[in-house]
Amino acid sequence: MNVRKHILYSKRNVVYFLLFEILIVLIYSLTVVMTFSSREMIFDETEMQLKNQSSVTEGNYLDTSYTDSEAVVTPAFQLQKGIYYIEAFFARQGIVRAGLLYDTPRNGKELVDNDEFIVNPDKQVISYRVKIHDDSKIRFKLRLTGDAVDGDYIHLLKVHIVTSKLTCVYRIFWLIALLVLLDMILWGYVRYYTKWEAERKTVFLVLALTAFFVSLPLFRSGLNEGVDLVFHLSRLEGIYRSWNRGGVFQFPVRIQPGWLDGYGYAVSVFYGDIFMYFPAFLRVIGFSLEEAYKVYLGIINIATVFISFYAFRKITRDDVAAMTGSVLYAGGMRVTLMYSVVLGGVSGMTFYPLIVAGFYLLFTEDIASGEYKKIWILLTAGFTGILMTHMISCLIIGLYSVLLCIVMLKKVLRRNTFVELLKAAGAAVLLSLWYLVPFVQYMLGEKLRINSKIAKDVRIEDYYAALEDFTQEGTNLCNLFTDHNTLGFALIVVILLFTVTIPVQGKGKQIKYCRNFALLALFTVMVCTDLFPVVAIARRSVILTKFFQTIQYQFRFMSVAAVMLACFAALFFASGVFERKNLYWIAGLICCITLYQDMQYYTTLSFDKIYLDGVALEARTNKNIYSYTVGNGEYLPVNTKTTALTSELEFVGDLEVDQIERDGLSFKINVQNKGDEAGEVLFPILYYGGYQAKDCGSREQLGTVSGDNGRVAVKIPSGYRGKLQVGFHEPLLWRIAEGISLITLLSIAVYIQKPDRIKRISKKYMQKRHMQA
């Protein structure tokens, strides 16, 4: 053991080890690049075939009269394992599906897990990326669906297949990721694990297994459809598309180009997505859409387990109690929300425990202690994390925080406590300024559905009808204790244990805090039930009425109940009611019940949706638009009718327009105004503040406004002739906000890592000022 420690703790040996790993990466990279063979295949219409169940015949045309044929396919071809781009040209009518299939049936295990997708009916060309898992013979196919009617047909004209260089990047990335993971495990093992006592080692293993068990569904093929799967996949794909194409590289991403057939959607301005940048990066280097999304979910699970443990450990100072609370929280109703694709709320829940820990310590710790001056970091991290993931969750937590501060007003007004709150709020605002400035500017300065709806002042005659969507999600007491997506059996066991041990709990400070927290948790649970007087409260406050309507569903408050009850459980187990030996058994039982309940829930999930590439997201919406679904379209310009959107560039006046070049959300056109009056060019992109039009030669800026149907309209003055460039450019104010947020982040990082250095610098600065004075 001593020899091993000597080897691993020696800086020279560590450097040699890292150099050896770098050498492995270089050798492997050279091997992958040298052995990479670019392959290109082109099939024209004379080579296409018609496929039925047992054979193929010549032909590239298929309609409803071909009763024996299932699809138009290419000849069978063989590809090595890797990433490929497929481009298909065709004519068609009706709903058509495209994809790949094995030339020989594989007992239900189709290529890349049955990669069929619906083809956009407005397009005659499709291009997408696919990962091939083996070298079996396959075919590209187009087929009519079972909804085909007379007149529907397919005419496959050409298929182009080419190997992607991402095959090399993908393989090299996996080797680097594996080595980094092994290094982290080895470093953690030597630096921490070997120094821990048996109890902490066991706690760590339980937490690691919990993160694994709550992520088990991610190892299955496909995705559970849930309620907002396509919306969140579209957000991820939108970031990737923003980086992968577009005339102006966006960082951070503001307007995503793929929505509404290329019209663009400002979803990133209103919906925090900074944590989705990593899975979007994985898309860039070759991961499929499904793989990148699952990596994101896995990271959320791991982060939730260990962040909640850290927060509960701060509160209880007991590893076993904090572990139990973490398992209850990470493996409770949060799992149901995750796999029913309530992704924004689940992402926000990752940071809830930090806020709970921050407020708990703020009101219970000794205000004169050195640790008290660090509590603001917990609150800052918690609020910033929630704001960056889900605005509605931030509103919910904000309301609870305000109510708590009112209840604890006497302690809030203590000087030290008030200073910590100010530090937390100020740092959170500065960290989030890069997101808040565009959000506030669009909310106040743009005419969008979301702000017009909020600002709309309508007299409410029937509050039950106005709050129907909200109140129908309130659960009753019976369901609260029996449904798998509410409290769960493990928390019920904790509540029963707390109740039956009241006579022997004593009257110490710890148990007093536990009881007060129990009352607070009970209140949060009550808010989620139909016993809570939502309508009565709404009648007395217009602000609260709009708040309830903004939150949309009463069930969303259950996320707060979940973290409060998990924290209550941690406090209860740390209160000393149980002997240590008995606490181990009880904690183990609670953890087992939680994970067993999760396993039972997994059996109800249906992983039947496959999204291997962004092309699979283009599905028919309720407005007959084939594109990423915008849901209720809250972030659309208020005068936009999606059914009237056209992919063509239009103009008003005596204009001559030609040489149209499009790249994502950017256009270059030659335009001449032959008339005596100003003309107007309407571009097939939605108008948001930040779009600019400039002459490519003189760089003179032309007027850009919101035109017909919410499209970008550029005013062309009389006599103008030249090349015009139109694109989205972030305002200077946004860039300044981004700079402030970055400086704040770096300052906090330095403060956490080197607090003594900050103090020395501050002390020297004060001494210098004193000497100058």
Side-chain angles (χ1 to χ4, degrees):
M1 177 67 74
N2 291 332
V3 174
R4 182 175 59 187
K5 284 187 176 182
H6 174 72
I7 294 173
L8 293 175
Y9 274 109
S10 170
K11 291 184 178 180
R12 178 181 297 178
N13 291 335
V14 170
V15 171
Y16 287 156
F17 184 72
L18 293 176
L19 289 174
F20 176 69
E21 288 186 331
I22 293 173
L23 182 62
I24 291 176
V25 172
L26 289 175
I27 294 173
Y28 180 78
S29 301
L30 286 173
T31 304
V32 169
V33 172
M34 295 297 292
T35 57
F36 172 77
S37 75
S38 180
R39 187 176 179 187
E40 183 176 13
M41 291 182 292
I42 299 176
F43 301 102
D44 61 32
E45 57 183 322
T46 62
E47 300 176 89
M48 304 305 174
Q49 299 173 340
L50 299 177
K51 186 182 183 303
N52 57 33
Q53 290 185 350
S54 58
S55 62
V56 294
T57 58
E58 292 184 0
N60 70 335
Y61 177 86
L62 177 67
D63 60 32
T64 54
S65 66
Y66 288 66
T67 56
D68 295 331
S69 298
E70 300 174 344
V72 183
V73 298
T74 62
F77 55 89
Q78 198 169 13
L79 297 173
Q80 293 181 345
K81 184 178 180 180
I83 301 171
Y84 296 83
Y85 286 105
I86 298 177
E87 188 175 34
F89 301 81
F90 51 87
R92 46 72 71 81
Q93 182 169 315
I95 301 176
V96 174
R97 287 183 174 269
L100 300 175
L101 76 161
Y102 281 113
D103 193 42
T104 303
R106 298 289 292 267
N107 298 322
K109 295 182 179 180
E110 298 300 326
L111 183 77
V112 289
D113 308 315
N114 190 12
D115 70 330
E116 272 198 343
F117 56 88
I118 297 177
V119 177
N120 187 324
D122 298 327
K123 296 181 180 178
Q124 305 298 313
V125 180
I126 55 172
S127 178
Y128 68 104
R129 193 175 74 194
V130 66
K131 190 180 289 94
I132 304 299
H133 297 307
D134 57 49
D135 59 359
S136 300
K137 288 186 176 180
I138 56 177
R139 300 173 184 267
F140 174 80
K141 68 176 179 182
L142 280 180
R143 72 175 182 88
L144 292 170
T145 68
D147 298 325
V149 297
D150 289 343
D152 290 350
Y153 70 92
I154 302 170
H155 191 184
L156 184 56
L157 304 175
K158 180 182 176 181
V159 176
H160 182 201
I161 301 170
V162 62
T163 313
S164 171
K165 292 180 181 179
L166 289 176
T167 301
C168 300
V169 177
Y170 183 79
R171 292 172 180 172
I172 294 169
F173 173 83
W174 269 113
L175 175 63
I176 295 174
L178 178 62
L179 291 176
V180 170
L181 178 62
L182 291 175
D183 288 345
M184 290 176 62
I185 292 173
L186 185 61
W187 176 77
Y189 176 77
V190 175
R191 180 70 175 81
Y192 296 103
Y193 191 82
T194 55
K195 299 178 181 179
W196 290 339
E197 67 278 9
E199 181 180 285
R200 176 157 287 192
K201 288 180 179 179
T202 304
V203 166
F204 174 79
L205 291 176
V206 170
L207 293 174
L209 286 173
T210 300
F212 172 75
F213 276 111
V214 297
S215 301
L216 272 179
L218 303 180
F219 295 95
R220 294 174 63 175
S221 174
L223 294 168
N224 190 51
E225 187 172 15
V227 292
D228 285 326
L229 177 62
V230 173
F231 175 76
H232 293 298
L233 289 177
S234 299
R235 291 173 56 212
L236 194 162
E237 187 71 3
I239 299 171
Y240 158 65
R241 295 284 181 92
S242 298
W243 295 344
N244 199 46
R245 63 190 176 104
V248 179
F249 179 76
Q250 290 190 60
F251 192 90
V253 175
R254 301 298 188 184
I255 312 294
Q256 297 188 6
W259 304 71
L260 295 172
D261 288 337
Y263 266 81
Y265 195 43
V267 63
S268 293
V269 172
F270 295 94
Y271 213 122
D273 52 19
I274 188 66
F275 297 113
M276 297 193 87
Y277 282 23
F278 179 69
F281 166 74
L282 297 182
R283 288 285 289 137
V284 172
I285 63 174
F287 279 63
S288 71
L289 180 59
E290 182 179 309
E291 288 173 340
Y293 181 74
K294 286 181 175 179
V295 169
Y296 177 68
L297 295 185
I299 292 173
I300 288 177
N301 282 332
I302 295 170
T304 302
V305 169
F306 287 97
I307 286 177
S308 59
F309 171 77
Y310 172 79
F312 297 154
R313 177 69 176 76
K314 280 281 187 181
I315 292 173
T316 63
R317 293 174 173 80
D318 186 294
D319 286 350
V320 176
M323 174 201 74
T324 309
S326 176
V327 174
L328 284 168
Y329 182 62
M333 61 156 286
R334 192 195 68 90
V335 171
T336 306
L337 295 178
M338 168 168 284
Y339 295 114
S340 60
V341 201
V342 186
L343 187 64
V346 171
S347 300
M349 287 179 70
T350 304
F351 304 96
Y352 280 17
L354 295 175
I355 295 176
V356 173
F359 277 115
Y360 180 88
L361 295 174
L362 204 65
F363 298 134
T364 59
E365 280 289 294
D366 180 8
I367 60 175
S369 66
E371 289 297 314
Y372 198 82
K373 295 181 179 180
K374 298 179 182 179
I375 294 174
W376 67 272
I377 298 176
L378 291 173
L379 292 172
T380 296
F383 277 111
T384 303
I386 295 174
L387 187 61
M388 292 299 100
T389 51
H390 198 223
M391 179 63 76
I392 291 180
S393 293
C394 195
L395 290 175
I396 293 173
I397 288 294
L399 177 63
Y400 275 103
S401 300
V402 170
L403 292 176
L404 180 62
C405 287
I406 292 174
V407 172
M408 306 294 293
L409 186 60
K410 186 176 179 180
K411 289 191 174 183
V412 168
L413 294 178
R414 295 180 304 187
R415 184 179 181 277
N416 288 10
T417 303
F418 193 69
V419 168
E420 290 303 302
L421 284 172
L422 287 179
K423 286 160 61 177
V429 169
L430 290 176
L431 274 175
S432 306
L433 207 62
W434 70 274
Y435 169 75
L436 290 174
V437 168
F439 176 84
V440 172
Q441 185 171 329
Y442 272 15
M443 284 292 286
L444 298 180
E446 300 290 318
K447 295 181 180 179
L448 306 171
R449 291 184 184 179
I450 183 172
N451 51 24
S452 63
K453 182 179 179 181
I454 293 174
K456 192 175 182 180
D457 189 11
V458 180
R459 183 179 178 184
I460 298 177
E461 300 290 344
D462 187 345
Y463 279 88
Y464 287 96
L467 297 172
E468 180 183 4
D469 289 341
F470 183 87
T471 55
Q472 70 180 356
E473 294 294 330
T475 186
N476 58 53
L477 281 178
C478 178
N479 293 336
L480 185 68
F481 288 95
T482 56
D483 283 1
H484 65 270
N485 60 348
T486 51
L487 296 184
F489 297 124
L491 276 173
I492 294 173
V493 171
V494 173
I495 294 171
L496 289 175
L497 283 173
F498 176 78
T499 304
V500 299
T501 57
I502 287 177
V504 296
Q505 286 175 2
K507 297 181 180 180
K509 181 186 293 186
Q510 195 78 1
I511 200 66
K512 177 184 176 182
Y513 290 155
C514 183
R515 288 174 180 173
N516 291 338
F517 213 94
L519 292 175
L520 188 58
L522 179 63
F523 170 76
T524 61
V525 172
M526 278 287 295
V527 172
C528 306
T529 68
D530 53 9
L531 298 176
F532 190 68
V534 175
V535 173
I537 293 174
R539 282 198 176 109
R540 288 167 173 77
S541 172
V542 175
I543 294 176
L544 287 176
T545 300
K546 291 196 173 186
F547 176 80
F548 292 145
Q549 290 176 328
T550 301
I551 299 303
Q552 295 178 310
Y553 310 115
Q554 189 176 359
F555 183 77
R556 282 179 166 158
F557 289 106
M558 188 63 76
S559 59
V560 182
V563 69
M564 297 299 288
L565 287 169
C567 186
F568 155 70
L571 276 169
F572 174 48
F573 290 131
S575 63
V577 174
F578 301 103
E579 294 182 0
R580 202 66 183 170
K581 184 178 180 180
N582 294 333
L583 179 61
Y584 293 153
W585 286 104
I586 294 172
L589 177 64
I590 296 296
C591 293
C592 289
I593 293 174
T594 302
L595 296 180
Y596 172 77
Q597 186 170 281
D598 290 339
M599 299 297 286
Q600 292 296 107
Y601 169 64
Y602 296 160
T603 62
T604 67
L605 298 177
S606 176
F607 290 78
D608 56 351
K609 295 295 179 181
I610 307 296
Y611 296 93
L612 301 174
D613 194 76
V615 69
L617 296 174
E618 296 183 357
R620 185 183 292 275
T621 69
N622 57 359
K623 300 183 184 302
N624 294 323
I625 297 293
Y626 271 74
S627 185
Y628 301 173
T629 175
V630 295
N632 295 324
E634 291 91 347
Y635 315 134
L636 291 174
V638 70
N639 59 335
T640 298
K641 294 182 180 179
T642 55
T643 53
L645 295 177
T646 173
S647 60
E648 301 298 325
L649 184 146
E650 299 178 351
F651 54 87
V652 178
D654 191 9
L655 303 181
E656 184 177 297
V657 178
D658 58 13
Q659 297 185 21
I660 301 172
E661 301 174 23
R662 178 168 190 173
D663 189 3
L665 297 174
S666 296
F667 282 83
K668 287 184 179 179
I669 64 170
N670 281 348
V671 60
Q672 179 180 2
N673 189 347
K674 298 180 178 180
D676 297 329
E677 297 180 356
E680 184 179 80
V681 180
L682 290 163
F683 292 85
I685 43 180
L686 292 179
Y687 179 83
Y688 296 98
Y691 276 102
Q692 296 179 5
K694 294 181 180 180
D695 181 87
C696 293
S698 66
R699 309 307 297 171
E700 178 185 356
Q701 191 164 318
L702 281 70
T704 307
V705 297
S706 177
D708 177 61
N709 205 22
R711 292 175 290 176
V712 171
V714 178
K715 300 294 183 180
I716 309 297
S718 175
Y720 175 83
R721 181 177 183 177
K723 191 166 189 176
L724 191 66
Q725 182 176 8
V726 178
F728 181 81
H729 300 269
E730 281 201 12
L732 178 61
L733 181 61
W734 296 13
R735 291 300 186 188
I736 293 173
E738 291 163 12
I740 293 173
S741 293
L742 180 59
I743 292 171
T744 304
L745 177 62
L746 295 175
S747 301
I748 293 175
V750 171
Y751 173 81
I752 294 173
Q753 293 297 322
K754 305 289 184 182
D756 294 336
R757 182 176 298 178
I758 299 294
K759 290 178 181 177
R760 287 197 300 269
I761 294 172
S762 178
K763 187 176 181 180
K764 288 181 180 179
Y765 175 74
M766 295 302 295
Q767 288 176 347
K768 185 177 180 181
R769 286 193 61 183
H770 181 72
M771 292 175 64
Q772 290 176 347

